[in-house]
Amino acid sequence: MLDLSSLIPIESIRSYYIDLITLGIDILAASVIIISVIMAVISFLKILNNPIKVQTVDKESIRLRLARGILLALDFEIGSDIIKTMQIPGIKELLILGVIVTIRIVLSWSLSKEIDRHNKMI
């Protein structure tokens, strides 16, 4: 009887699918950022003819919508990094993941605080 596990290593199959999944998540995160930026630019162009006082309020809303899009993309990227680390869970990779996740969490936290501060002002 032929043993298929000796022909196709399970590790290479797992690695292929993990790479495919993380690529999909990275593309999704990039798409969220691109869509958020495009929507922000379109919204900004629409308000250019408004009075300055109205523009100020609208610009803040546009900026916060963009921040929410970036925050969502950061969450996707953190998930992608965690999945990538499952592939090669060595000490060095875990330390790198820890640093990356910490930086992204700090960015997410600061964006969330900014959004909350704005929502309390409204």
Side-chain angles (χ1 to χ4, degrees):
M1 188 168 205
L2 182 62
D3 184 16
L4 292 178
S5 64
S6 64
L7 295 177
I8 304 172
I10 298 294
E11 276 303 307
S12 65
I13 294 172
R14 187 182 77 158
S15 175
Y16 171 76
Y17 284 111
I18 288 175
D19 289 343
L20 196 61
I21 290 168
T22 56
L23 175 65
I25 293 171
D26 291 341
I27 290 171
L28 182 61
S31 299
V32 168
I33 291 172
I34 290 168
I35 290 168
S36 296
V37 168
I38 290 170
M39 289 174 60
V41 169
I42 290 170
S43 296
F44 176 75
L45 292 175
K46 285 181 179 179
I47 67 165
L48 286 178
N49 290 331
N50 294 346
I52 297 297
K53 287 184 179 183
V54 175
Q55 279 187 25
T56 304
V57 174
D58 290 344
K59 285 178 186 176
E60 184 70 15
S61 296
I62 292 168
R63 190 175 70 80
L64 289 173
R65 272 187 274 146
L66 179 60
R68 285 186 191 105
I70 292 170
L71 188 60
L72 179 61
L74 279 170
D75 289 341
F76 283 132
E77 287 298 325
I78 289 170
S80 174
D81 288 339
I82 291 170
I83 293 171
K84 286 176 192 171
T85 303
M86 289 176 18
Q87 191 171 2
I88 311 170
I91 293 295
K92 180 181 175 185
E93 288 78 16
L94 289 175
L95 288 173
I96 292 170
L97 173 67
V99 170
I100 291 170
V101 167
T102 301
I103 291 168
R104 290 185 177 164
I105 286 174
V106 168
L107 286 171
S108 296
W109 178 78
S110 65
L111 284 172
S112 293
K113 287 294 181 187
E114 181 71 20
I115 291 169
D116 289 344
R117 182 186 64 81
H118 176 72
N119 288 338
K120 287 178 184 176
M121 289 176 20
I122 295 177

Coordinates of all heavy atoms in Angstrom, one line a residue, residues 27-110:
I27 N -4.6 41.4 1.6 CA -5.3 42.1 0.5 C -6.5 42.7 1.0 O -6.8 43.9 0.6 CB -5.5 41.0 -0.7 CG1 -4.2 40.6 -1.4 CG2 -6.5 41.6 -1.7 CD1 -4.4 39.5 -2.3
L28 N -7.2 42.1 1.8 CA -8.5 42.7 2.4 C -8.1 43.9 3.2 O -8.8 45.0 3.0 CB -9.2 41.6 3.3 CG -10.5 42.1 4.0 CD1 -11.5 42.4 2.9 CD2 -11.0 41.0 4.9
A29 N -7.1 43.9 4.0 CA -6.7 45.1 4.8 C -6.3 46.2 3.8 O -6.7 47.4 4.0 CB -5.5 44.7 5.7
A30 N -5.5 45.9 2.8 CA -5.1 46.9 1.8 C -6.3 47.5 1.1 O -6.4 48.7 0.9 CB -4.1 46.4 0.8
S31 N -7.3 46.6 0.8 CA -8.5 47.1 0.1 C -9.3 48.0 1.0 O -9.8 49.1 0.6 CB -9.4 45.9 -0.2 OG -8.7 45.1 -1.1
V32 N -9.4 47.7 2.3 CA -10.1 48.6 3.3 C -9.4 50.0 3.3 O -10.1 51.0 3.3 CB -10.1 48.0 4.7 CG1 -10.6 49.0 5.7 CG2 -11.0 46.7 4.7
I33 N -8.1 50.0 3.3 CA -7.4 51.3 3.4 C -7.6 52.1 2.1 O -7.9 53.3 2.1 CB -5.9 51.1 3.6 CG1 -5.7 50.6 5.1 CG2 -5.1 52.4 3.4 CD1 -4.3 50.2 5.4
I34 N -7.5 51.4 0.9 CA -7.7 52.0 -0.4 C -9.1 52.6 -0.5 O -9.3 53.8 -0.9 CB -7.4 51.1 -1.5 CG1 -5.8 50.8 -1.5 CG2 -7.8 51.6 -2.8 CD1 -5.4 49.7 -2.4
I35 N -10.1 51.8 -0.1 CA -11.5 52.3 -0.2 C -11.7 53.4 0.7 O -12.4 54.4 0.4 CB -12.5 51.1 0.1 CG1 -12.4 50.1 -1.1 CG2 -13.9 51.6 0.3 CD1 -13.1 48.8 -0.8
S36 N -11.1 53.4 2.0 CA -11.3 54.5 2.9 C -10.7 55.7 2.4 O -11.3 56.8 2.5 CB -10.7 54.1 4.3 OG -11.3 53.0 4.8
V37 N -9.5 55.6 1.8 CA -8.8 56.8 1.3 C -9.6 57.4 0.1 O -9.8 58.6 0.0 CB -7.4 56.5 0.8 CG1 -6.8 57.6 0.0 CG2 -6.5 56.2 2.1
I38 N -10.1 56.6 -0.8 CA -10.9 57.0 -2.0 C -12.1 57.7 -1.5 O -12.5 58.8 -2.0 CB -11.2 55.9 -2.9 CG1 -9.9 55.4 -3.6 CG2 -12.3 56.3 -3.9 CD1 -10.1 54.1 -4.4
M39 N -12.8 57.1 -0.5 CA -14.0 57.8 0.0 C -13.7 59.1 0.7 O -14.5 60.1 0.6 CB -14.7 56.8 1.0 CG -15.4 55.6 0.3 SD -16.1 54.4 1.5 CE -17.3 55.4 2.3
A40 N -12.6 59.2 1.4 CA -12.2 60.4 2.1 C -11.9 61.5 1.0 O -12.3 62.7 1.2 CB -11.0 60.2 3.0
V41 N -11.2 61.1 0.0 CA -10.9 62.1 -1.1 C -12.2 62.6 -1.8 O -12.3 63.8 -2.0 CB -9.9 61.5 -2.1 CG1 -9.8 62.4 -3.3 CG2 -8.5 61.3 -1.4
I42 N -13.1 61.7 -2.1 CA -14.3 62.1 -2.7 C -15.1 63.0 -1.8 O -15.7 64.0 -2.2 CB -15.1 60.8 -3.1 CG1 -14.4 60.1 -4.3 CG2 -16.5 61.2 -3.5 CD1 -15.0 58.8 -4.6
S43 N -15.2 62.6 -0.5 CA -16.0 63.5 0.4 C -15.3 64.8 0.6 O -16.0 65.8 0.6 CB -16.0 62.8 1.8 OG -16.7 61.6 1.7
F44 N -14.0 64.9 0.6 CA -13.3 66.2 0.7 C -13.6 67.0 -0.5 O -13.9 68.2 -0.4 CB -11.8 65.9 0.9 CG -11.0 67.2 0.9 CD1 -11.0 68.0 2.0 CD2 -10.3 67.6 -0.2 CE1 -10.3 69.2 2.0 CE2 -9.6 68.8 -0.2 CZ -9.6 69.6 0.9
L45 N -13.5 66.4 -1.7 CA -13.8 67.2 -2.9 C -15.2 67.8 -2.9 O -15.5 68.9 -3.5 CB -13.5 66.4 -4.2 CG -12.1 66.0 -4.4 CD1 -11.9 65.1 -5.6 CD2 -11.2 67.2 -4.6
K46 N -16.2 67.0 -2.4 CA -17.6 67.4 -2.3 C -17.8 68.6 -1.4 O -18.7 69.4 -1.7 CB -18.5 66.3 -1.9 CG -18.7 65.2 -2.9 CD -19.6 64.2 -2.4 CE -19.9 63.1 -3.4 NZ -20.8 62.0 -2.9
I47 N -17.0 68.8 -0.4 CA -17.2 69.9 0.6 C -16.5 71.2 0.2 O -16.6 72.2 0.9 CB -16.9 69.5 2.0 CG1 -15.4 69.2 2.2 CG2 -17.8 68.3 2.4 CD1 -15.0 69.1 3.6
L48 N -15.7 71.2 -0.8 CA -14.8 72.3 -1.1 C -15.6 73.6 -1.4 O -15.1 74.7 -1.1 CB -13.9 72.1 -2.3 CG -12.7 71.1 -2.0 CD1 -11.9 70.9 -3.2 CD2 -11.9 71.7 -0.9
N49 N -16.8 73.5 -1.9 CA -17.6 74.7 -2.1 C -18.4 75.2 -0.9 O -19.1 76.2 -1.0 CB -18.6 74.4 -3.3 CG -17.8 74.3 -4.6 OD1 -16.8 74.9 -4.8 ND2 -18.4 73.5 -5.5
N50 N -18.4 74.5 0.2 CA -19.1 74.8 1.4 C -18.4 76.0 2.1 O -17.2 76.2 1.9 CB -19.3 73.6 2.3 CG -20.1 72.5 1.7 OD1 -20.8 72.7 0.8 ND2 -20.1 71.4 2.3
P51 N -19.2 76.7 2.9 CA -18.5 77.7 3.8 C -17.5 77.1 4.7 O -17.5 75.9 5.0 CB -19.7 78.3 4.6 CG -20.9 77.9 3.9 CD -20.6 76.6 3.1
I52 N -16.5 77.9 5.1 CA -15.4 77.5 5.9 C -15.8 76.8 7.2 O -15.3 75.7 7.6 CB -14.4 78.6 6.2 CG1 -13.8 79.2 4.9 CG2 -13.3 78.2 7.2 CD1 -13.0 78.3 4.2
K53 N -16.8 77.3 7.9 CA -17.3 76.7 9.2 C -17.9 75.3 8.9 O -17.6 74.4 9.7 CB -18.3 77.6 9.8 CG -17.7 78.9 10.5 CD -18.7 79.6 11.2 CE -18.1 80.9 11.8 NZ -19.0 81.7 12.6
V54 N -18.6 75.2 7.9 CA -19.2 73.9 7.5 C -18.1 72.9 7.1 O -18.1 71.7 7.5 CB -20.2 74.0 6.4 CG1 -20.7 72.7 6.0 CG2 -21.4 74.9 6.9
Q55 N -17.1 73.4 6.4 CA -16.0 72.6 5.9 C -15.2 72.0 7.1 O -14.8 70.9 7.1 CB -15.0 73.4 5.1 CG -15.4 73.5 3.6 CD -14.3 74.2 2.8 OE1 -13.1 74.1 3.2 NE2 -14.7 74.8 1.7
T56 N -15.0 72.8 8.2 CA -14.3 72.4 9.4 C -14.9 71.2 10.0 O -14.3 70.2 10.3 CB -14.2 73.6 10.4 OG1 -13.6 74.7 9.7 CG2 -13.3 73.2 11.6
V57 N -16.2 71.2 10.2 CA -17.0 70.1 10.8 C -16.9 68.9 9.9 O -16.7 67.8 10.3 CB -18.4 70.5 11.1 CG1 -19.2 69.3 11.6 CG2 -18.5 71.6 12.1
D58 N -17.1 69.1 8.6 CA -17.1 68.0 7.6 C -15.7 67.4 7.5 O -15.6 66.2 7.4 CB -17.6 68.5 6.2 CG -19.1 68.9 6.2 OD1 -19.8 68.4 7.1 OD2 -19.5 69.6 5.3
K59 N -14.7 68.2 7.5 CA -13.3 67.6 7.5 C -13.0 66.7 8.7 O -12.4 65.7 8.5 CB -12.3 68.8 7.4 CG -12.2 69.4 6.1 CD -11.2 70.6 6.1 CE -11.2 71.4 4.8 NZ -10.3 72.6 4.9
E60 N -13.5 67.1 9.8 CA -13.3 66.3 11.0 C -14.1 64.9 10.8 O -13.5 63.9 11.2 CB -13.8 67.0 12.3 CG -13.6 66.3 13.5 CD -12.2 66.2 13.9 OE1 -11.3 67.0 13.4 OE2 -11.8 65.4 14.8
S61 N -15.3 65.0 10.3 CA -16.0 63.7 10.1 C -15.3 62.8 9.0 O -15.2 61.6 9.2 CB -17.4 64.0 9.5 OG -18.1 64.7 10.5
I62 N -14.8 63.5 8.0 CA -14.0 62.7 7.0 C -12.8 62.1 7.6 O -12.5 60.9 7.3 CB -13.7 63.6 5.8 CG1 -14.9 64.1 5.0 CG2 -12.7 63.0 4.8 CD1 -14.7 65.2 4.0
R63 N -12.1 62.8 8.4 CA -10.9 62.3 9.0 C -11.2 61.1 9.9 O -10.5 60.2 9.9 CB -10.2 63.5 9.8 CG -8.8 63.1 10.3 CD -8.2 64.4 11.0 NE -8.8 64.7 12.2 CZ -8.6 64.1 13.4 NH1 -7.7 63.1 13.4 NH2 -9.2 64.5 14.5
L64 N -12.3 61.2 10.7 CA -12.6 60.1 11.6 C -13.1 58.9 10.8 O -12.8 57.8 11.2 CB -13.7 60.6 12.6 CG -13.1 61.6 13.6 CD1 -14.3 62.1 14.4 CD2 -12.1 60.9 14.5
R65 N -13.8 59.1 9.7 CA -14.2 57.9 8.9 C -12.9 57.2 8.3 O -12.8 56.0 8.3 CB -15.1 58.3 7.7 CG -16.6 58.3 8.1 CD -17.5 58.5 7.0 NE -17.6 60.0 6.8 CZ -17.7 60.6 5.7 NH1 -17.7 60.0 4.6 NH2 -17.8 61.9 5.6
L66 N -12.0 58.0 7.9 CA -10.7 57.5 7.4 C -10.0 56.7 8.6 O -9.4 55.6 8.4 CB -9.8 58.6 6.9 CG -8.4 58.1 6.3 CD1 -8.6 57.1 5.2 CD2 -7.7 59.4 5.9
A67 N -10.0 57.3 9.8 CA -9.4 56.6 10.9 C -10.0 55.3 11.2 O -9.3 54.3 11.6 CB -9.4 57.6 12.1
R68 N -11.3 55.2 11.1 CA -12.0 54.0 11.4 C -11.6 52.9 10.3 O -11.5 51.7 10.7 CB -13.6 54.2 11.3 CG -14.1 54.9 12.6 CD -15.6 55.0 12.6 NE -16.1 55.8 13.6 CZ -16.6 57.1 13.4 NH1 -16.6 57.5 12.2 NH2 -16.9 57.8 14.4
G69 N -11.5 53.3 9.1 CA -11.0 52.4 8.1 C -9.6 51.9 8.3 O -9.4 50.7 8.2
I70 N -8.7 52.8 8.8 CA -7.4 52.4 9.1 C -7.4 51.4 10.3 O -6.6 50.5 10.3 CB -6.5 53.6 9.3 CG1 -6.3 54.4 8.0 CG2 -5.1 53.2 9.9 CD1 -5.7 55.7 8.1
L71 N -8.2 51.7 11.3 CA -8.3 50.9 12.5 C -8.8 49.5 12.1 O -8.2 48.5 12.6 CB -9.3 51.6 13.4 CG -9.4 51.0 14.8 CD1 -8.1 51.0 15.6 CD2 -10.5 51.8 15.6
L72 N -9.7 49.4 11.2 CA -10.2 48.1 10.8 C -9.1 47.3 10.1 O -8.9 46.1 10.3 CB -11.4 48.2 9.9 CG -12.0 46.9 9.3 CD1 -12.5 46.0 10.4 CD2 -13.2 47.3 8.3
A73 N -8.4 48.0 9.2 CA -7.3 47.4 8.5 C -6.2 46.9 9.5 O -5.6 45.8 9.3 CB -6.7 48.3 7.5
L74 N -5.9 47.7 10.5 CA -4.9 47.3 11.5 C -5.3 46.0 12.2 O -4.5 45.1 12.5 CB -4.7 48.4 12.5 CG -3.7 49.5 12.1 CD1 -3.8 50.7 13.1 CD2 -2.3 49.0 12.0
D75 N -6.6 45.9 12.5 CA -7.1 44.7 13.1 C -6.9 43.5 12.2 O -6.5 42.4 12.7 CB -8.6 44.8 13.5 CG -8.8 45.8 14.7 OD1 -7.8 46.1 15.4 OD2 -9.9 46.3 14.8
F76 N -7.2 43.6 10.9 CA -6.9 42.5 10.0 C -5.5 42.2 10.0 O -5.1 41.0 9.9 CB -7.4 42.9 8.6 CG -8.9 42.9 8.4 CD1 -9.6 43.9 7.8 CD2 -9.6 41.8 8.7 CE1 -10.9 43.9 7.6 CE2 -11.0 41.7 8.5 CZ -11.6 42.8 7.9
E77 N -4.6 43.2 10.0 CA -3.2 42.9 9.9 C -2.7 42.2 11.1 O -1.8 41.3 11.1 CB -2.4 44.2 9.7 CG -2.5 44.7 8.3 CD -2.0 43.8 7.2 OE1 -1.0 43.1 7.5 OE2 -2.5 43.8 6.1
I78 N -3.2 42.5 12.3 CA -2.8 41.8 13.5 C -3.2 40.3 13.4 O -2.4 39.4 13.7 CB -3.5 42.5 14.8 CG1 -2.8 43.8 15.0 CG2 -3.3 41.6 16.0 CD1 -3.5 44.7 16.1
G79 N -4.4 40.1 12.9 CA -4.8 38.7 12.7 C -3.9 37.9 11.8 O -3.6 36.8 12.0
S80 N -3.6 38.6 10.7 CA -2.7 38.0 9.7 C -1.3 37.7 10.3 O -0.8 36.6 10.0 CB -2.5 39.0 8.5 OG -1.6 38.5 7.6
D81 N -0.8 38.6 11.1 CA 0.5 38.3 11.7 C 0.4 37.1 12.7 O 1.4 36.3 12.7 CB 1.0 39.6 12.5 CG 1.4 40.7 11.5 OD1 1.7 40.4 10.4 OD2 1.5 41.8 11.9
I82 N -0.6 37.0 13.4 CA -0.8 35.9 14.3 C -0.9 34.6 13.6 O -0.2 33.6 13.9 CB -2.0 36.1 15.2 CG1 -1.8 37.3 16.2 CG2 -2.4 34.8 16.0 CD1 -3.0 37.7 16.9
I83 N -1.6 34.6 12.5 CA -1.7 33.4 11.7 C -0.3 33.0 11.1 O 0.1 31.8 11.0 CB -2.8 33.5 10.6 CG1 -4.1 33.6 11.2 CG2 -2.7 32.3 9.6 CD1 -5.3 33.9 10.3
K84 N 0.4 34.0 10.6 CA 1.7 33.8 10.0 C 2.7 33.2 11.0 O 3.5 32.3 10.7 CB 2.4 35.1 9.5 CG 1.8 35.6 8.2 CD 2.4 36.9 7.8 CE 1.6 37.5 6.7 NZ 2.0 38.9 6.4
T85 N 2.6 33.6 12.3 CA 3.4 33.1 13.3 C 3.1 31.6 13.6 O 4.0 30.9 14.1 CB 3.3 33.9 14.6 OG1 3.7 35.3 14.2 CG2 4.3 33.5 15.7
M86 N 1.9 31.2 13.4 CA 1.6 29.8 13.6 C 2.4 28.9 12.7 O 2.6 27.7 13.1 CB 0.1 29.6 13.4 CG -0.8 30.2 14.4 SD -2.6 30.0 14.1 CE -2.8 28.8 12.9
Q87 N 2.8 29.4 11.6 CA 3.5 28.6 10.6 C 4.9 28.2 11.2 O 5.4 27.1 11.0 CB 3.7 29.4 9.3 CG 4.2 28.6 8.2 CD 4.1 29.4 6.9 OE1 3.6 30.6 6.9 NE2 4.4 28.8 5.8
I88 N 5.6 29.2 11.8 CA 7.0 28.9 12.3 C 7.0 29.5 13.7 O 7.5 30.6 13.9 CB 8.1 29.6 11.4 CG1 7.9 29.3 10.0 CG2 9.4 29.2 11.9 CD1 8.7 30.1 9.1
P89 N 6.6 28.8 14.7 CA 6.4 29.3 16.0 C 7.7 29.3 16.9 O 7.8 28.7 17.9 CB 5.3 28.5 16.7 CG 5.5 27.2 16.0 CD 5.9 27.4 14.6
G90 N 8.8 29.9 16.4 CA 10.1 29.9 17.1 C 10.1 31.1 18.0 O 9.3 32.0 17.9
I91 N 11.1 31.2 18.9 CA 11.2 32.3 19.9 C 11.4 33.6 19.2 O 10.8 34.6 19.5 CB 12.3 32.0 20.9 CG1 12.0 30.8 21.8 CG2 12.7 33.2 21.7 CD1 10.9 31.0 22.7
K92 N 12.2 33.6 18.2 CA 12.5 34.8 17.4 C 11.3 35.3 16.7 O 10.9 36.5 16.8 CB 13.6 34.6 16.4 CG 14.0 35.8 15.6 CD 15.0 35.5 14.5 CE 15.3 36.6 13.6 NZ 16.2 36.3 12.6
E93 N 10.5 34.5 16.1 CA 9.3 34.9 15.4 C 8.2 35.4 16.4 O 7.5 36.3 16.1 CB 8.7 33.7 14.6 CG 9.5 33.4 13.4 CD 10.8 32.6 13.7 OE1 10.9 32.0 14.8 OE2 11.6 32.5 12.8
L94 N 8.2 34.7 17.6 CA 7.2 35.2 18.6 C 7.6 36.5 19.1 O 6.7 37.4 19.4 CB 7.1 34.1 19.7 CG 6.4 32.8 19.4 CD1 6.6 31.9 20.6 CD2 5.0 33.0 19.0
L95 N 8.9 36.8 19.3 CA 9.3 38.1 19.8 C 9.0 39.2 18.7 O 8.5 40.3 19.1 CB 10.8 38.1 20.1 CG 11.2 37.4 21.4 CD1 12.7 37.3 21.5 CD2 10.6 38.0 22.6
I96 N 9.2 38.9 17.5 CA 8.9 39.8 16.4 C 7.4 40.1 16.3 O 7.0 41.2 16.2 CB 9.4 39.3 15.0 CG1 11.0 39.3 15.0 CG2 8.8 40.1 13.9 CD1 11.6 38.6 13.8
L97 N 6.6 39.0 16.5 CA 5.2 39.2 16.5 C 4.7 40.0 17.7 O 3.9 40.9 17.5 CB 4.5 37.8 16.6 CG 3.0 37.8 16.8 CD1 2.3 38.4 15.5 CD2 2.4 36.5 17.1
G98 N 5.3 39.8 18.8 CA 5.0 40.6 20.0 C 5.2 42.1 19.8 O 4.4 42.9 20.1
V99 N 6.4 42.4 19.2 CA 6.7 43.8 18.9 C 5.7 44.4 17.9 O 5.2 45.5 18.1 CB 8.2 43.9 18.4 CG1 8.4 45.4 17.9 CG2 9.1 43.6 19.5
I100 N 5.4 43.7 16.8 CA 4.5 44.1 15.8 C 3.1 44.3 16.3 O 2.5 45.4 16.1 CB 4.5 43.2 14.5 CG1 5.8 43.2 13.8 CG2 3.4 43.5 13.6 CD1 6.0 42.2 12.8
V101 N 2.6 43.3 17.1 CA 1.3 43.4 17.6 C 1.2 44.6 18.6 O 0.2 45.3 18.6 CB 0.9 42.1 18.3 CG1 -0.4 42.2 19.1 CG2 0.7 41.0 17.2
T102 N 2.3 44.8 19.4 CA 2.3 45.9 20.4 C 2.2 47.2 19.7 O 1.4 48.1 20.1 CB 3.6 45.8 21.3 OG1 3.6 44.6 22.0 CG2 3.6 47.0 22.2
I103 N 3.0 47.4 18.6 CA 2.9 48.7 17.9 C 1.6 48.9 17.3 O 1.0 50.0 17.4 CB 4.0 48.7 16.8 CG1 5.4 48.8 17.4 CG2 3.8 49.8 15.8 CD1 6.5 48.5 16.4
R104 N 1.0 47.8 16.7 CA -0.3 48.0 16.1 C -1.4 48.2 17.1 O -2.4 48.9 16.8 CB -0.6 46.8 15.2 CG 0.3 46.8 13.9 CD 0.0 45.7 13.0 NE 0.8 45.8 11.8 CZ 1.0 44.9 10.9 NH1 0.4 43.7 11.1 NH2 1.8 45.1 9.9
I105 N -1.3 47.6 18.2 CA -2.3 47.8 19.3 C -2.2 49.3 19.8 O -3.3 49.9 20.0 CB -2.1 46.8 20.4 CG1 -2.6 45.4 20.0 CG2 -2.9 47.2 21.7 CD1 -2.4 44.3 20.9
V106 N -1.0 49.8 20.0 CA -0.9 51.2 20.4 C -1.5 52.1 19.3 O -2.2 53.1 19.7 CB 0.6 51.5 20.6 CG1 0.8 53.0 20.8 CG2 1.1 50.8 21.9
L107 N -1.2 51.8 18.1 CA -1.8 52.6 17.0 C -3.4 52.5 17.0 O -4.1 53.6 17.0 CB -1.3 52.2 15.6 CG 0.1 52.6 15.3 CD1 0.5 51.9 14.0 CD2 0.2 54.1 15.1
S108 N -3.9 51.3 17.2 CA -5.3 51.1 17.3 C -5.9 51.8 18.5 O -7.0 52.5 18.4 CB -5.6 49.6 17.3 OG -5.2 49.0 16.2
W109 N -5.2 51.7 19.6 CA -5.7 52.4 20.8 C -5.8 53.9 20.6 O -6.7 54.5 21.0 CB -4.8 52.0 22.0 CG -5.2 52.7 23.3 CD1 -6.2 52.3 24.1 CD2 -4.6 53.8 23.8 NE1 -6.2 53.2 25.2 CE2 -5.2 54.1 25.0 CE3 -3.5 54.6 23.5 CZ2 -4.9 55.2 25.9 CZ3 -3.1 55.7 24.3 CH2 -3.8 55.9 25.5
S110 N -4.7 54.5 20.1 CA -4.7 55.9 19.9 C -5.8 56.4 18.9 O -6.4 57.4 19.1 CB -3.3 56.4 19.5 OG -3.0 55.9 18.2

